[in-house]
Amino acid sequence: HWVNSPDNPYFHSDGPIRGAASRHATNPWPLGAANDLLAMNLGKGEFFRQARMDNGFCCETVNPKEEGRPSTGLAFASAAGFVAYALWKAYGEPHRNKQY
């Protein structure tokens, strides 16, 4: 819970795009939002509905105040695979016996 809380100095909660960042890259990470989905924090899927990223392609980080436009790492192919997997696990895979 610390990662997505005001106790984390790199958590962005005051703009249209909410998400965790780090000292390495201080804007929200799509990879972090994907990790939230895999941890069944399904409300975090809102990140992908709002962030424009790199014209819909995954990027390393997004600007939390500019509609989630890319900040760093354009066309981040390896991240795109992980994000696609997380979205599929959260929303595309048949949800037999899963309760949310």
Side-chain angles (χ1 to χ4, degrees):
H1 296 292
W2 177 87
V3 171
N4 293 321
S5 78
D7 295 328
N8 177 356
Y10 300 106
F11 181 71
H12 294 270
S13 63
D14 60 344
I17 306 297
R18 296 173 45 111
S22 71
R23 184 171 29 161
H24 166 71
T26 58
N27 281 331
W29 292 58
L31 286 171
N35 190 55
D36 282 331
L37 286 175
L38 293 174
M40 295 193 306
N41 296 326
L42 293 180
K44 298 299 179 186
E46 193 63 27
F47 179 97
F48 296 106
R49 283 188 276 282
Q50 294 182 348
R52 294 184 66 177
M53 295 195 278
D54 181 13
N55 292 313
F57 292 101
C58 194
C59 54
E60 181 183 29
T61 65
V62 300
N63 186 314
K65 296 183 192 254
E66 293 182 10
E67 299 176 337
R69 294 178 190 273
S71 296
T72 61
L74 300 178
F76 193 0
S78 58
F82 182 67
V83 166
Y85 172 77
L87 288 166
W88 177 76
K89 286 297 278 184
Y91 300 111
E93 180 182 39
H95 289 97
R96 291 184 205 96
N97 301 321
K98 290 186 179 181
Q99 299 203 3
Y100 297 102

